[in-house]
Amino acid sequence: MPESELIRGECLVRDLQFNEEVKMTRKSLVRWLALSLGLISPNETRAGLLEVLEALLYFHFNKRHGGADPDIYQILEKVKEIKKEEPNPKAVRYHLLQLKKLGIIEAKSRKYRFVLAPMQEDSNLASALSYVYKQRMDSSFEKIKKALSLLEKTL
């Protein structure tokens, strides 16, 4: 059976210690969040995804103060500001695509934003991410239940 072809997605959430060291800087909070959500692996040194995530978080939280959803050029500019050097546009687009594939962000009219739950009336990001991850978990466990039911019948 070609197992890799059967995988439609993965859902990895890590229960990380939330200590004082994590709370010291914005960068450490963004890294902690990415690790918790399974977006990066422990000891991963690539910063590209972290810079894109930080830019998206900036625009999301800035919307409360009248900001708008960013386009790719605004994201590139914010990543440049975070990175303090010119970002690789292909790498930024790649990370946006990966976040899109995970269902964490969406693009509407070429503007990027975090996916909110269908009936969510506010822009609470914790609720939005919880919804996305629970949807994936529920879908996986429905299939696991079916498999267990079929296994039970064969034994």
PDB file of all heavy atoms in Angstrom, residues 98-126:
ATOM      1  N   GLN A  98       2.565  26.843   2.675  1.00  0.00           N
ATOM      2  CA  GLN A  98       2.522  25.762   3.665  1.00  0.00           C
ATOM      3  C   GLN A  98       1.481  26.052   4.751  1.00  0.00           C
ATOM      4  O   GLN A  98       0.725  25.166   5.151  1.00  0.00           O
ATOM      5  CB  GLN A  98       3.905  25.533   4.289  1.00  0.00           C
ATOM      6  CG  GLN A  98       4.961  25.053   3.315  1.00  0.00           C
ATOM      7  CD  GLN A  98       4.523  23.843   2.507  1.00  0.00           C
ATOM      8  OE1 GLN A  98       4.068  22.851   3.042  1.00  0.00           O
ATOM      9  NE2 GLN A  98       4.634  23.945   1.194  1.00  0.00           N
ATOM     10  N   LEU A  99       1.431  27.283   5.221  1.00  0.00           N
ATOM     11  CA  LEU A  99       0.433  27.663   6.231  1.00  0.00           C
ATOM     12  C   LEU A  99      -0.975  27.573   5.657  1.00  0.00           C
ATOM     13  O   LEU A  99      -1.928  27.206   6.363  1.00  0.00           O
ATOM     14  CB  LEU A  99       0.720  29.071   6.757  1.00  0.00           C
ATOM     15  CG  LEU A  99       1.981  29.209   7.612  1.00  0.00           C
ATOM     16  CD1 LEU A  99       2.279  30.681   7.871  1.00  0.00           C
ATOM     17  CD2 LEU A  99       1.835  28.441   8.928  1.00  0.00           C
ATOM     18  N   LYS A 100      -1.098  27.873   4.376  1.00  0.00           N
ATOM     19  CA  LYS A 100      -2.388  27.773   3.687  1.00  0.00           C
ATOM     20  C   LYS A 100      -2.814  26.310   3.573  1.00  0.00           C
ATOM     21  O   LYS A 100      -3.974  25.961   3.828  1.00  0.00           O
ATOM     22  CB  LYS A 100      -2.263  28.412   2.307  1.00  0.00           C
ATOM     23  CG  LYS A 100      -3.497  29.092   1.818  1.00  0.00           C
ATOM     24  CD  LYS A 100      -3.165  29.892   0.571  1.00  0.00           C
ATOM     25  CE  LYS A 100      -4.302  29.763  -0.397  1.00  0.00           C
ATOM     26  NZ  LYS A 100      -4.056  30.350  -1.679  1.00  0.00           N
ATOM     27  N   LYS A 101      -1.884  25.444   3.198  1.00  0.00           N
ATOM     28  CA  LYS A 101      -2.166  24.011   3.088  1.00  0.00           C
ATOM     29  C   LYS A 101      -2.596  23.419   4.432  1.00  0.00           C
ATOM     30  O   LYS A 101      -3.410  22.500   4.477  1.00  0.00           O
ATOM     31  CB  LYS A 101      -0.946  23.249   2.570  1.00  0.00           C
ATOM     32  CG  LYS A 101      -0.717  23.393   1.093  1.00  0.00           C
ATOM     33  CD  LYS A 101       0.494  22.586   0.669  1.00  0.00           C
ATOM     34  CE  LYS A 101       0.789  22.710  -0.799  1.00  0.00           C
ATOM     35  NZ  LYS A 101       1.998  21.954  -1.181  1.00  0.00           N
ATOM     36  N   LEU A 102      -2.043  23.943   5.518  1.00  0.00           N
ATOM     37  CA  LEU A 102      -2.405  23.474   6.853  1.00  0.00           C
ATOM     38  C   LEU A 102      -3.756  24.013   7.303  1.00  0.00           C
ATOM     39  O   LEU A 102      -4.287  23.598   8.331  1.00  0.00           O
ATOM     40  CB  LEU A 102      -1.324  23.880   7.866  1.00  0.00           C
ATOM     41  CG  LEU A 102       0.007  23.156   7.746  1.00  0.00           C
ATOM     42  CD1 LEU A 102       1.056  23.813   8.632  1.00  0.00           C
ATOM     43  CD2 LEU A 102      -0.156  21.679   8.106  1.00  0.00           C
ATOM     44  N   GLY A 103      -4.290  24.965   6.553  1.00  0.00           N
ATOM     45  CA  GLY A 103      -5.583  25.540   6.909  1.00  0.00           C
ATOM     46  C   GLY A 103      -5.507  26.609   7.973  1.00  0.00           C
ATOM     47  O   GLY A 103      -6.510  27.018   8.544  1.00  0.00           O
ATOM     48  N   ILE A 104      -4.296  27.098   8.240  1.00  0.00           N
ATOM     49  CA  ILE A 104      -4.098  28.104   9.285  1.00  0.00           C
ATOM     50  C   ILE A 104      -4.367  29.507   8.751  1.00  0.00           C
ATOM     51  O   ILE A 104      -4.894  30.356   9.460  1.00  0.00           O
ATOM     52  CB  ILE A 104      -2.675  27.980   9.871  1.00  0.00           C
ATOM     53  CG1 ILE A 104      -2.569  26.654  10.635  1.00  0.00           C
ATOM     54  CG2 ILE A 104      -2.330  29.164  10.764  1.00  0.00           C
ATOM     55  CD1 ILE A 104      -1.194  26.323  11.118  1.00  0.00           C
ATOM     56  N   ILE A 105      -3.994  29.732   7.489  1.00  0.00           N
ATOM     57  CA  ILE A 105      -4.273  31.029   6.871  1.00  0.00           C
ATOM     58  C   ILE A 105      -5.055  30.808   5.582  1.00  0.00           C
ATOM     59  O   ILE A 105      -5.124  29.687   5.068  1.00  0.00           O
ATOM     60  CB  ILE A 105      -2.983  31.854   6.577  1.00  0.00           C
ATOM     61  CG1 ILE A 105      -2.110  31.155   5.535  1.00  0.00           C
ATOM     62  CG2 ILE A 105      -2.216  32.143   7.859  1.00  0.00           C
ATOM     63  CD1 ILE A 105      -0.986  32.031   4.989  1.00  0.00           C
ATOM     64  N   GLU A 106      -5.619  31.886   5.077  1.00  0.00           N
ATOM     65  CA  GLU A 106      -6.299  31.864   3.789  1.00  0.00           C
ATOM     66  C   GLU A 106      -5.955  33.145   3.053  1.00  0.00           C
ATOM     67  O   GLU A 106      -5.523  34.119   3.662  1.00  0.00           O
ATOM     68  CB  GLU A 106      -7.812  31.724   3.970  1.00  0.00           C
ATOM     69  CG  GLU A 106      -8.456  32.869   4.724  1.00  0.00           C
ATOM     70  CD  GLU A 106      -9.918  32.628   5.045  1.00  0.00           C
ATOM     71  OE1 GLU A 106     -10.482  31.600   4.614  1.00  0.00           O
ATOM     72  OE2 GLU A 106     -10.507  33.482   5.725  1.00  0.00           O
ATOM     73  N   ALA A 107      -6.141  33.113   1.747  1.00  0.00           N
ATOM     74  CA  ALA A 107      -5.908  34.302   0.932  1.00  0.00           C
ATOM     75  C   ALA A 107      -7.221  34.642   0.230  1.00  0.00           C
ATOM     76  O   ALA A 107      -7.796  33.804  -0.456  1.00  0.00           O
ATOM     77  CB  ALA A 107      -4.813  34.050  -0.087  1.00  0.00           C
ATOM     78  N   LYS A 108      -7.681  35.854   0.444  1.00  0.00           N
ATOM     79  CA  LYS A 108      -8.879  36.349  -0.231  1.00  0.00           C
ATOM     80  C   LYS A 108      -8.518  37.666  -0.883  1.00  0.00           C
ATOM     81  O   LYS A 108      -7.986  38.557  -0.223  1.00  0.00           O
ATOM     82  CB  LYS A 108     -10.022  36.541   0.763  1.00  0.00           C
ATOM     83  CG  LYS A 108     -10.590  35.226   1.255  1.00  0.00           C
ATOM     84  CD  LYS A 108     -11.914  35.415   1.928  1.00  0.00           C
ATOM     85  CE  LYS A 108     -12.464  34.048   2.278  1.00  0.00           C
ATOM     86  NZ  LYS A 108     -13.745  34.118   2.902  1.00  0.00           N
ATOM     87  N   SER A 109      -8.786  37.768  -2.165  1.00  0.00           N
ATOM     88  CA  SER A 109      -8.429  38.955  -2.944  1.00  0.00           C
ATOM     89  C   SER A 109      -6.947  39.288  -2.781  1.00  0.00           C
ATOM     90  O   SER A 109      -6.566  40.452  -2.623  1.00  0.00           O
ATOM     91  CB  SER A 109      -9.295  40.146  -2.538  1.00  0.00           C
ATOM     92  OG  SER A 109     -10.657  39.854  -2.692  1.00  0.00           O
ATOM     93  N   ARG A 110      -6.133  38.240  -2.760  1.00  0.00           N
ATOM     94  CA  ARG A 110      -4.672  38.364  -2.620  1.00  0.00           C
ATOM     95  C   ARG A 110      -4.227  39.006  -1.311  1.00  0.00           C
ATOM     96  O   ARG A 110      -3.138  39.553  -1.206  1.00  0.00           O
ATOM     97  CB  ARG A 110      -4.075  39.096  -3.809  1.00  0.00           C
ATOM     98  CG  ARG A 110      -4.319  38.348  -5.100  1.00  0.00           C
ATOM     99  CD  ARG A 110      -3.653  39.024  -6.241  1.00  0.00           C
ATOM    100  NE  ARG A 110      -4.028  38.323  -7.463  1.00  0.00           N
ATOM    101  CZ  ARG A 110      -3.310  38.343  -8.550  1.00  0.00           C
ATOM    102  NH1 ARG A 110      -2.199  39.021  -8.591  1.00  0.00           N
ATOM    103  NH2 ARG A 110      -3.710  37.694  -9.616  1.00  0.00           N
ATOM    104  N   LYS A 111      -5.085  38.912  -0.312  1.00  0.00           N
ATOM    105  CA  LYS A 111      -4.767  39.394   1.039  1.00  0.00           C
ATOM    106  C   LYS A 111      -4.784  38.176   1.955  1.00  0.00           C
ATOM    107  O   LYS A 111      -5.644  37.302   1.830  1.00  0.00           O
ATOM    108  CB  LYS A 111      -5.802  40.408   1.520  1.00  0.00           C
ATOM    109  CG  LYS A 111      -5.992  41.590   0.601  1.00  0.00           C
ATOM    110  CD  LYS A 111      -5.149  42.721   1.045  1.00  0.00           C
ATOM    111  CE  LYS A 111      -5.438  43.953   0.180  1.00  0.00           C
ATOM    112  NZ  LYS A 111      -4.687  45.070   0.586  1.00  0.00           N
ATOM    113  N   TYR A 112      -3.827  38.138   2.859  1.00  0.00           N
ATOM    114  CA  TYR A 112      -3.681  36.977   3.740  1.00  0.00           C
ATOM    115  C   TYR A 112      -4.250  37.264   5.127  1.00  0.00           C
ATOM    116  O   TYR A 112      -4.130  38.379   5.638  1.00  0.00           O
ATOM    117  CB  TYR A 112      -2.202  36.600   3.863  1.00  0.00           C
ATOM    118  CG  TYR A 112      -1.637  36.085   2.572  1.00  0.00           C
ATOM    119  CD1 TYR A 112      -1.100  36.963   1.631  1.00  0.00           C
ATOM    120  CD2 TYR A 112      -1.649  34.730   2.278  1.00  0.00           C
ATOM    121  CE1 TYR A 112      -0.578  36.490   0.432  1.00  0.00           C
ATOM    122  CE2 TYR A 112      -1.133  34.257   1.077  1.00  0.00           C
ATOM    123  CZ  TYR A 112      -0.603  35.141   0.163  1.00  0.00           C
ATOM    124  OH  TYR A 112      -0.103  34.680  -1.017  1.00  0.00           O
ATOM    125  N   ARG A 113      -4.850  36.208   5.700  1.00  0.00           N
ATOM    126  CA  ARG A 113      -5.356  36.323   7.073  1.00  0.00           C
ATOM    127  C   ARG A 113      -5.495  34.934   7.679  1.00  0.00           C
ATOM    128  O   ARG A 113      -5.543  33.932   6.959  1.00  0.00           O
ATOM    129  CB  ARG A 113      -6.689  37.045   7.088  1.00  0.00           C
ATOM    130  CG  ARG A 113      -7.798  36.266   6.432  1.00  0.00           C
ATOM    131  CD  ARG A 113      -9.093  37.020   6.511  1.00  0.00           C
ATOM    132  NE  ARG A 113     -10.164  36.192   6.001  1.00  0.00           N
ATOM    133  CZ  ARG A 113     -11.404  36.592   5.925  1.00  0.00           C
ATOM    134  NH1 ARG A 113     -11.729  37.799   6.316  1.00  0.00           N
ATOM    135  NH2 ARG A 113     -12.340  35.799   5.468  1.00  0.00           N
ATOM    136  N   PHE A 114      -5.563  34.901   8.996  1.00  0.00           N
ATOM    137  CA  PHE A 114      -5.774  33.644   9.694  1.00  0.00           C
ATOM    138  C   PHE A 114      -7.208  33.184   9.455  1.00  0.00           C
ATOM    139  O   PHE A 114      -8.128  34.004   9.375  1.00  0.00           O
ATOM    140  CB  PHE A 114      -5.515  33.803  11.199  1.00  0.00           C
ATOM    141  CG  PHE A 114      -4.053  33.928  11.534  1.00  0.00           C
ATOM    142  CD1 PHE A 114      -3.481  35.173  11.741  1.00  0.00           C
ATOM    143  CD2 PHE A 114      -3.241  32.807  11.623  1.00  0.00           C
ATOM    144  CE1 PHE A 114      -2.128  35.304  12.038  1.00  0.00           C
ATOM    145  CE2 PHE A 114      -1.892  32.923  11.917  1.00  0.00           C
ATOM    146  CZ  PHE A 114      -1.336  34.169  12.122  1.00  0.00           C
ATOM    147  N   VAL A 115      -7.388  31.879   9.352  1.00  0.00           N
ATOM    148  CA  VAL A 115      -8.716  31.307   9.158  1.00  0.00           C
ATOM    149  C   VAL A 115      -9.465  31.379  10.488  1.00  0.00           C
ATOM    150  O   VAL A 115      -8.947  30.987  11.525  1.00  0.00           O
ATOM    151  CB  VAL A 115      -8.612  29.837   8.697  1.00  0.00           C
ATOM    152  CG1 VAL A 115      -9.974  29.161   8.689  1.00  0.00           C
ATOM    153  CG2 VAL A 115      -7.966  29.757   7.325  1.00  0.00           C
ATOM    154  N   LEU A 116     -10.684  31.896  10.438  1.00  0.00           N
ATOM    155  CA  LEU A 116     -11.533  31.967  11.620  1.00  0.00           C
ATOM    156  C   LEU A 116     -12.599  30.886  11.510  1.00  0.00           C
ATOM    157  O   LEU A 116     -12.950  30.446  10.419  1.00  0.00           O
ATOM    158  CB  LEU A 116     -12.184  33.349  11.742  1.00  0.00           C
ATOM    159  CG  LEU A 116     -11.242  34.546  11.848  1.00  0.00           C
ATOM    160  CD1 LEU A 116     -12.032  35.847  11.911  1.00  0.00           C
ATOM    161  CD2 LEU A 116     -10.329  34.421  13.059  1.00  0.00           C
ATOM    162  N   ALA A 117     -13.149  30.481  12.644  1.00  0.00           N
ATOM    163  CA  ALA A 117     -14.243  29.517  12.650  1.00  0.00           C
ATOM    164  C   ALA A 117     -15.442  30.147  11.939  1.00  0.00           C
ATOM    165  O   ALA A 117     -15.624  31.365  12.000  1.00  0.00           O
ATOM    166  CB  ALA A 117     -14.598  29.149  14.088  1.00  0.00           C
ATOM    167  N   PRO A 118     -16.269  29.341  11.269  1.00  0.00           N
ATOM    168  CA  PRO A 118     -17.385  29.891  10.493  1.00  0.00           C
ATOM    169  C   PRO A 118     -18.319  30.816  11.273  1.00  0.00           C
ATOM    170  O   PRO A 118     -18.766  31.818  10.744  1.00  0.00           O
ATOM    171  CB  PRO A 118     -18.137  28.637  10.022  1.00  0.00           C
ATOM    172  CG  PRO A 118     -17.121  27.562  10.028  1.00  0.00           C
ATOM    173  CD  PRO A 118     -16.172  27.894  11.128  1.00  0.00           C
ATOM    174  N   MET A 119     -18.615  30.524  12.508  1.00  0.00           N
ATOM    175  CA  MET A 119     -19.547  31.341  13.283  1.00  0.00           C
ATOM    176  C   MET A 119     -18.824  32.291  14.245  1.00  0.00           C
ATOM    177  O   MET A 119     -19.447  32.926  15.079  1.00  0.00           O
ATOM    178  CB  MET A 119     -20.506  30.446  14.070  1.00  0.00           C
ATOM    179  CG  MET A 119     -21.325  29.521  13.181  1.00  0.00           C
ATOM    180  SD  MET A 119     -22.310  30.389  11.960  1.00  0.00           S
ATOM    181  CE  MET A 119     -23.628  30.964  12.972  1.00  0.00           C
ATOM    182  N   GLN A 120     -17.512  32.384  14.116  1.00  0.00           N
ATOM    183  CA  GLN A 120     -16.729  33.218  15.021  1.00  0.00           C
ATOM    184  C   GLN A 120     -16.975  34.691  14.719  1.00  0.00           C
ATOM    185  O   GLN A 120     -16.786  35.142  13.596  1.00  0.00           O
ATOM    186  CB  GLN A 120     -15.235  32.883  14.882  1.00  0.00           C
ATOM    187  CG  GLN A 120     -14.360  33.559  15.907  1.00  0.00           C
ATOM    188  CD  GLN A 120     -12.932  33.049  15.856  1.00  0.00           C
ATOM    189  OE1 GLN A 120     -12.658  31.942  15.413  1.00  0.00           O
ATOM    190  NE2 GLN A 120     -12.012  33.865  16.331  1.00  0.00           N
ATOM    191  N   GLU A 121     -17.425  35.425  15.727  1.00  0.00           N
ATOM    192  CA  GLU A 121     -17.770  36.828  15.539  1.00  0.00           C
ATOM    193  C   GLU A 121     -16.624  37.784  15.853  1.00  0.00           C
ATOM    194  O   GLU A 121     -16.656  38.937  15.461  1.00  0.00           O
ATOM    195  CB  GLU A 121     -18.997  37.172  16.376  1.00  0.00           C
ATOM    196  CG  GLU A 121     -20.239  36.443  15.884  1.00  0.00           C
ATOM    197  CD  GLU A 121     -21.474  36.787  16.668  1.00  0.00           C
ATOM    198  OE1 GLU A 121     -21.455  37.788  17.421  1.00  0.00           O
ATOM    199  OE2 GLU A 121     -22.465  36.066  16.535  1.00  0.00           O
ATOM    200  N   ASP A 122     -15.641  37.304  16.592  1.00  0.00           N
ATOM    201  CA  ASP A 122     -14.499  38.158  16.911  1.00  0.00           C
ATOM    202  C   ASP A 122     -13.270  37.636  16.167  1.00  0.00           C
ATOM    203  O   ASP A 122     -13.352  36.683  15.416  1.00  0.00           O
ATOM    204  CB  ASP A 122     -14.257  38.196  18.427  1.00  0.00           C
ATOM    205  CG  ASP A 122     -13.948  36.817  19.003  1.00  0.00           C
ATOM    206  OD1 ASP A 122     -13.704  35.868  18.228  1.00  0.00           O
ATOM    207  OD2 ASP A 122     -13.956  36.677  20.233  1.00  0.00           O
ATOM    208  N   SER A 123     -12.143  38.266  16.368  1.00  0.00           N
ATOM    209  CA  SER A 123     -10.923  37.831  15.673  1.00  0.00           C
ATOM    210  C   SER A 123      -9.945  37.160  16.640  1.00  0.00           C
ATOM    211  O   SER A 123      -8.740  37.201  16.426  1.00  0.00           O
ATOM    212  CB  SER A 123     -10.259  39.041  15.004  1.00  0.00           C
ATOM    213  OG  SER A 123      -9.895  39.990  15.986  1.00  0.00           O
ATOM    214  N   ASN A 124     -10.485  36.516  17.684  1.00  0.00           N
ATOM    215  CA  ASN A 124      -9.654  35.844  18.674  1.00  0.00           C
ATOM    216  C   ASN A 124      -8.859  34.725  18.007  1.00  0.00           C
ATOM    217  O   ASN A 124      -9.437  33.747  17.530  1.00  0.00           O
ATOM    218  CB  ASN A 124     -10.528  35.305  19.808  1.00  0.00           C
ATOM    219  CG  ASN A 124      -9.701  34.659  20.886  1.00  0.00           C
ATOM    220  OD1 ASN A 124      -9.163  33.574  20.690  1.00  0.00           O
ATOM    221  ND2 ASN A 124      -9.592  35.329  22.015  1.00  0.00           N
ATOM    222  N   LEU A 125      -7.551  34.892  17.975  1.00  0.00           N
ATOM    223  CA  LEU A 125      -6.690  33.954  17.261  1.00  0.00           C
ATOM    224  C   LEU A 125      -6.619  32.596  17.949  1.00  0.00           C
ATOM    225  O   LEU A 125      -6.551  31.563  17.279  1.00  0.00           O
ATOM    226  CB  LEU A 125      -5.293  34.555  17.085  1.00  0.00           C
ATOM    227  CG  LEU A 125      -4.373  33.870  16.105  1.00  0.00           C
ATOM    228  CD1 LEU A 125      -5.041  33.622  14.756  1.00  0.00           C
ATOM    229  CD2 LEU A 125      -3.108  34.678  15.916  1.00  0.00           C
ATOM    230  N   ALA A 126      -6.659  32.568  19.271  1.00  0.00           N
ATOM    231  CA  ALA A 126      -6.634  31.294  19.992  1.00  0.00           C
ATOM    232  C   ALA A 126      -7.848  30.447  19.606  1.00  0.00           C
ATOM    233  O   ALA A 126      -7.727  29.247  19.344  1.00  0.00           O
ATOM    234  CB  ALA A 126      -6.597  31.533  21.500  1.00  0.00           C
TER     235      ALA A 126
END
